[in-house]
Amino acid sequence: MMDLSNMSVGDLRNLQEQIKQEMKTRETQEVQKAREQILAIAQSVGMPLKELMATTGRGSKGATVAVRYRHPQDGNQQWTGRGRQPKWVKEWVDGGKLIDDLRV
């Protein structure tokens, strides 16, 4: 291990800059290696990378999520099941009814 206690402030700053540069280099190398591994996986299953990413749900930003719950009297009130429960769902459940009764 390096003894930093005897180094001047200038030397420490220089070392800090060297560390920053080395971190950037290694991070770039790791990202490139990960890309190559992902591409190799896609090729091994005979699927284009874009198609592989689209099947995971990661490749299609902004994609709509299917509605899982619908208000029984007002079909315009819908919920995907993600995020905070809408007020009407909370009231339904708090009223002793099953959320599965709202499932589409």
Side-chain angles (χ1 to χ4, degrees), residues 10-56:
D11 288 341
L12 288 170
R13 285 192 180 119
N14 185 32
L15 180 60
Q16 182 180 25
E17 188 59 36
Q18 289 176 13
I19 291 170
K20 284 182 187 178
Q21 291 301 319
E22 186 64 25
M23 291 291 292
K24 285 182 186 179
T25 300
R26 289 192 188 189
E27 287 171 354
T28 301
Q29 290 171 346
E30 287 180 5
V31 168
Q32 181 60 35
K33 183 178 177 182
R35 283 185 181 137
E36 290 169 1
Q37 290 173 340
I38 291 168
L39 184 56
I41 291 168
Q43 290 173 343
S44 74
V45 296
M47 186 179 288
L49 185 57
K50 285 185 180 182
E51 187 178 330
L52 177 68
M53 295 306 291
T55 60
T56 65

Side-chain angles (χ1 to χ4, degrees), residues 66-81 84-104:
V67 172
R68 293 178 59 193
Y69 304 97
R70 186 171 283 126
H71 192 284
Q73 285 83 34
D74 183 0
N76 291 326
Q77 294 188 48
Q78 305 171 4
W79 182 44
T80 63
R84 178 185 272 179
Q85 286 182 343
K87 184 178 177 182
W88 62 270
V89 173
K90 184 165 176 20
E91 289 172 353
W92 180 271
V93 173
D94 288 348
K97 299 176 184 170
L98 298 175
I99 193 169
D100 285 338
D101 294 340
L102 301 173
R103 194 174 291 273
V104 176

